[in-house]
Amino acid sequence: MVVNISADRMQAVVKQISFGGHADLSHRDITTALTEQYDIKHGLDGDAVAELAEKCLEDPEETVQGNFVVALGTLAKPGTNGRIEYAYLKEHSGPLPAYRQIKDAFEQKTIEAVLAKSTECIWVMPGDELATVIAATPGTPGREVLGNSIEKPGEEVSLEAGSNVSQTDNRFIADQMGYVCQIQDTLSVIPPIWITEDSMRAYFVHFPLPKSHPSIGSEVLQATLNECGVKSGFVTKNIELVSQKPLPHTQPKARLIARGTPPAHGQDARMDLGFNPEKLAGKINPDGSIDLRERNSVIAVEEGQLLGTLIQATQGQAGIDVCGNALTANDGDDSLSFTAGENVRSEGNPPTQFYAMTSGNVHVGKGSIDVKQVFVVSGNVDYEVGNIDTPHDVQINGDVGSGFTVKAGGSITVGGNVESGATLRAKGDIIISRGIIGGGTSVVALGALSEGCVQAQFILNAAVAAKGDIEIGSYAFNSMLRSNSNITVHPGGGDRGGSIVGGEAIAAHCITCQYAGSATTSGTLISISADPKVSAQINKINEQVDFCDSNSMRLLRTLGLEEANSAQIKVVLRNTAPGKKRIVREVVKKLYDLLEIREKSFNQREELKKMLDSSLENAEIVVTGKAFAGVRLVMGNSEDTLIADHVGFCFRLESMGIEAKPITSTEEGEDGQASSEEQASSDRS
């Protein structure tokens, strides 16, 4: 017998059968063979088997061939698929909310960005049923002809409870009020509370809804705030407004619902002065001359006048953010102290009030107040007046004649010119209404009492040095300018205005002019150089390091060592004769003292070098008009000479050296011509 069983095992077909001449066989023998030899246990058709046996018995010697279906399996009845019934969508007829956009909105950094991502949402309250999962049914099992069971259950659906949602059996319930959000198989509720990154503000965020909802209620709102971590700084008025009024359903809106209290840092100690100590820029006339009346360089006080009161520092007050975290506050710096300088008396211990002991000009320096009497020259400084050397301020209404010297313990103001060969020295500022003229002329503002600034209309073939700024109303020609701060040349006084031509202009921070160099004059140096005070400190430290190195080597030779190795030093001490141990210990102590001093000096030197490097990072040379070819630029250790004119450029020190960048971008590049930046790159290469 040949039997075929279908691939799905739902049908057995006899293709060929013969009784082999045995007339005593029957349908029972066929059934036994199908069961035992072909393992058919289900769905045998007895009638079909009996009919097949009759055919075989018609001629037991013959082989019967055909397609005789002798068994059929029982089909399974499929179960129904699982499904989710969304309760929150029952009354919602529009498209599904943009869930991911809602989530993204509440992850934004600013409240403006949150509202910008506004989209229509679905609002739920605590206890609202969100969804029910209906499980799939198993269906009715079937069976193959081999007896195996066949099942076709319905497909299950997946849904997980996310944040602010709880699951009880197959029901999903909102734990908080807010906006429904389903991303993939996770169902969440996003509370309408948004808190700034610094936790200093909390907002109630309302997004558009399909319809208005009833009022929230203060208890529910307060519970939500607590769950979101908002515990302090509640804005009561807005809380009442949000909780008592129904939510609108059109426009997005944010209400400030809690506000933190920032820490109030204490104020530093300060000097409360009865006058404005700041030097004003001063009016620069069209010709570049300085209007002394508007400079505020002379601050007159009367005898007995209260000059200032030292206000003590105050303590800080801690703050608190909306989450209830304390924010520490710094107390004010109380290290400021002032002393009474020349012609000033103080009251208090320590001094807190300062009074003028004479009439004169007041100077406020670092930690002291001085009153300088005024030495007035109504005309010129000439042979009739002679040289001046006074501890007071000096006011000269005319010129300083050629070859004369003026030294002042305060500031110097000159109503006219400083002529060739004259010398001016001041511990304060030097303000010259007209010019500084001639070879051998030297003007120095030491800045011992003030910033030590110099102002003049022009400087011609002269040397000028200032601790503070050098400000020139018109031009500098073939002069030596040195400022520990900034040099500025204003474009007053005609075609030459705003120019630095010839000579050297060296500043610590910034140099600004309209023209640098000229087409006919060579040898113009524009330089940014480090603060000489810091450089002097570094040089002094270098000497100290060298001293430590040389003496350390001498002591190491005494110990018979090449380097300060602690293990080797211990061996030397151990092997030293008892009578010499005290001397060797003293040598070792001196060595360690020197090494400690060297390390501290080295670290201090590195800090000062960093300070110089950082000052050069922000330094710049600004030429608003034209920097002519041939001008030599120096910034720190980098140097460059312009081989082409540069119009409207700022020069800065970059990693590759001095770089030129346009002050304002041009539009020439759009017309196919090189932009000014491209021109600079080409010219400099």
Side-chain angles (χ1 to χ4, degrees):
M1 183 167 59
V2 176
V3 179
N4 281 356
I5 297 174
S6 63
D8 61 3
R9 296 181 238 178
M10 293 299 290
Q11 180 177 270
V13 177
V14 175
K15 303 291 290 182
Q16 178 178 305
I17 187 172
S18 172
F19 278 179
H22 296 281
D24 55 343
L25 295 179
S26 68
H27 65 279
R28 292 186 185 88
D29 299 301
I30 296 176
T31 300
T32 299
L34 290 172
T35 301
E36 294 179 357
Q37 296 179 27
Y38 292 95
D39 205 24
I40 297 173
K41 296 182 175 64
H42 176 75
L44 276 172
D45 187 344
D47 294 338
V49 173
E51 183 179 342
L52 182 59
E54 289 179 4
K55 285 186 177 291
C56 291
L57 289 172
E58 289 177 0
D59 187 353
E61 296 291 343
E62 291 296 321
T63 299
V64 177
Q65 293 183 341
N67 292 300
F68 304 100
V69 178
V70 294
L72 289 173
T74 302
L75 294 174
K77 292 183 179 179
T80 57
N81 292 336
R83 68 185 189 279
I84 301 172
E85 293 182 354
Y86 291 100
Y88 71 87
L89 291 174
K90 281 184 179 178
E91 299 181 9
H92 184 76
S93 58
L96 290 176
Y99 297 122
R100 192 168 293 279
Q101 184 172 333
I102 300 170
K103 183 175 182 293
D104 289 346
F106 279 85
E107 293 174 352
Q108 298 303 303
K109 303 297 184 185
T110 66
I111 191 62
E112 292 78 13
V114 173
L115 295 177
K117 282 189 167 286
S118 166
T119 182
E120 189 174 275
C121 302
I122 295 177
W123 178 266
V124 293
M125 295 291 288
D128 284 356
E129 184 174 327
L130 303 178
T132 302
V133 175
I134 308 299
T137 61
T140 303
R143 192 175 295 275
E144 303 169 351
V145 296
L146 301 182
N148 299 317
S149 178
I150 303 171
E151 295 181 356
K152 289 189 177 180
E155 293 185 5
E156 297 289 355
V157 291
S158 175
L159 187 64
E160 295 182 5
S163 56
N164 304 310
V165 172
S166 59
Q167 181 180 358
T168 303
D169 296 328
N170 61 343
R171 297 172 66 244
F172 291 79
I173 308 297
D175 293 335
Q176 279 193 25
M177 69 175 179
Y179 304 112
V180 179
C181 178
Q182 182 174 347
I183 297 178
Q184 295 180 343
D185 296 334
T186 302
L187 184 62
S188 306
V189 173
I190 298 177
I193 308 301
W194 181 84
I195 304 172
T196 57
E197 280 189 309
D198 60 4
S199 298
M200 290 302 290
R201 287 175 175 255
Y203 291 86
F204 182 91
V205 178
H206 168 69
F207 281 171
L209 305 172
K211 64 177 183 176
S212 61
H213 283 264
S215 58
I216 294 170
S218 58
E219 290 184 2
V220 174
L221 178 56
Q222 192 63 55
T224 301
L225 288 170
N226 290 338
E227 287 292 329
C228 293
V230 181
K231 301 175 182 177
S232 176
F234 298 112
V235 181
T236 306
K237 181 181 177 181
N238 285 350
I239 287 180
E240 291 175 353
L241 190 63
V242 169
S243 61
Q244 294 175 7
K245 287 191 175 182
L247 293 174
H249 64 281
T250 52
Q251 297 298 323
K253 199 167 193 176
R255 289 194 185 278
L256 181 65
I257 208 162
R259 180 193 295 114
T261 301
H265 299 296
Q267 292 187 341
D268 294 342
R270 59 187 175 84
M271 177 60 73
D272 185 13
L273 300 169
F275 52 88
N276 178 13
E278 299 296 330
K279 298 295 187 290
L280 304 179
K283 180 180 179 183
I284 299 177
N285 297 318
D287 63 353
S289 61
I290 310 300
D291 189 336
L292 298 180
R293 294 169 299 178
E294 298 191 20
R295 181 65 174 80
N296 198 39
S297 60
V298 176
I299 304 172
V301 295
E302 299 294 330
E303 181 180 352
Q305 180 177 333
L306 176 63
L307 302 176
T309 301
L310 183 62
I311 307 299
Q312 299 298 324
T314 60
Q315 289 186 332
Q317 293 184 344
I320 187 170
D321 63 21
V322 298
C323 298
N325 301 313
L327 306 174
T328 56
N330 299 324
D331 293 336
D333 183 357
D334 204 21
S335 62
L336 179 66
S337 62
F338 260 75
T339 58
E342 184 179 349
N343 297 317
V344 175
R345 67 178 177 86
S346 63
E347 292 183 0
N349 186 22
T352 56
Q353 290 186 310
F354 301 86
Y355 296 86
M357 296 174 64
T358 184
S359 297
N361 293 330
V362 65
H363 296 266
V364 180
K366 290 183 178 179
S368 68
I369 302 179
D370 296 81
V371 173
K372 293 286 184 181
Q373 294 177 323
V374 183
F375 184 93
V376 179
V377 179
S378 58
N380 300 326
V381 175
D382 51 20
Y383 287 101
E384 184 177 343
V385 175
N387 294 330
I388 298 171
D389 189 348
T390 174
H392 307 313
D393 287 346
V394 176
Q395 178 183 326
I396 302 166
N397 294 333
D399 301 330
V400 177
S402 177
F404 287 93
T405 298
V406 179
K407 295 182 179 180
S411 297
I412 300 174
T413 58
V414 180
N417 294 309
V418 177
E419 297 179 353
S420 178
T423 300
L424 271 65
R425 293 283 187 279
K427 289 187 177 180
D429 301 333
I430 299 177
I431 312 300
I432 301 163
S433 178
R434 295 297 177 181
I436 303 171
I437 307 167
T441 304
S442 174
V443 174
V444 179
L446 300 172
L449 288 176
S450 65
E451 293 180 358
C453 299
V454 174
Q455 274 193 323
Q457 178 185 8
F458 61 88
I459 302 175
L460 178 63
N461 297 323
V464 175
K467 182 180 179 182
D469 294 342
I470 295 176
E471 188 172 10
I472 305 168
S474 182
Y475 64 87
F477 186 80
N478 277 344
S479 296
M480 306 294 289
L481 310 179
R482 183 65 173 93
S483 165
N484 288 354
S485 185
N486 307 303
I487 296 175
T488 303
V489 184
H490 296 280
D495 294 340
R496 187 183 282 185
S499 60
I500 299 175
V501 179
E504 298 179 357
I506 304 173
H509 302 306
C510 178
I511 298 175
T512 304
C513 62
Q514 186 168 5
Y515 301 104
S518 73
T520 57
T521 304
S522 60
T524 302
L525 169 67
I526 309 291
S527 173
I528 299 294
S529 183
D531 186 339
K533 259 180 136 182
V534 178
S535 297
Q537 283 180 276
I538 292 175
N539 291 335
K540 190 174 180 180
I541 291 172
N542 285 337
E543 293 175 3
Q544 195 168 29
V545 170
D546 291 341
F547 173 82
C548 292
D549 286 342
S550 60
N551 283 275
S552 296
M553 292 303 299
R554 180 177 58 80
L555 294 173
L556 284 169
R557 284 196 296 271
T558 301
L559 296 171
L561 299 175
E562 294 183 358
E563 60 180 359
N565 184 292
S566 59
Q568 294 177 357
I569 290 173
K570 287 179 181 178
V571 171
V572 170
L573 285 170
R574 201 164 46 241
N575 297 334
T576 302
K580 296 183 179 180
K581 278 190 184 290
R582 184 178 61 82
I583 298 173
V584 173
R585 285 196 182 98
E586 289 179 357
V587 171
V588 171
K589 183 179 182 304
K590 287 180 182 179
L591 174 63
Y592 280 134
D593 287 344
L594 284 171
L595 293 175
E596 184 179 357
I597 293 171
R598 186 191 187 284
E599 184 179 4
K600 289 181 179 178
S601 300
F602 180 83
N603 293 336
Q604 186 180 3
R605 182 178 65 183
E606 293 306 304
E607 289 299 320
L608 291 173
K609 285 182 177 180
K610 287 180 184 177
M611 188 188 304
L612 290 181
D613 291 342
S614 65
S615 66
L616 286 173
E617 285 179 7
N618 300 318
E620 58 184 7
I621 299 170
V622 180
V623 183
T624 59
K626 181 183 290 187
F628 288 86
V631 170
R632 190 158 63 99
L633 303 176
V634 177
M635 300 186 80
N637 296 323
S638 296
E639 183 174 336
D640 200 357
T641 299
L642 301 182
I643 61 174
D645 295 346
H646 286 59
V647 178
F649 272 83
C650 175
F651 300 90
R652 292 191 179 94
L653 185 62
E654 304 292 349
S655 58
M656 301 299 291
I658 300 173
E659 294 292 336
K661 297 182 179 180
I663 295 174
T664 55
S665 60
T666 66
E667 297 179 358
E668 292 180 351
E670 297 177 3
D671 299 326
Q673 301 179 16
S675 68
S676 51
E677 187 169 7
E678 291 168 341
Q679 172 196 328
S681 176
S682 173
D683 291 343
R684 292 167 63 74
S685 63

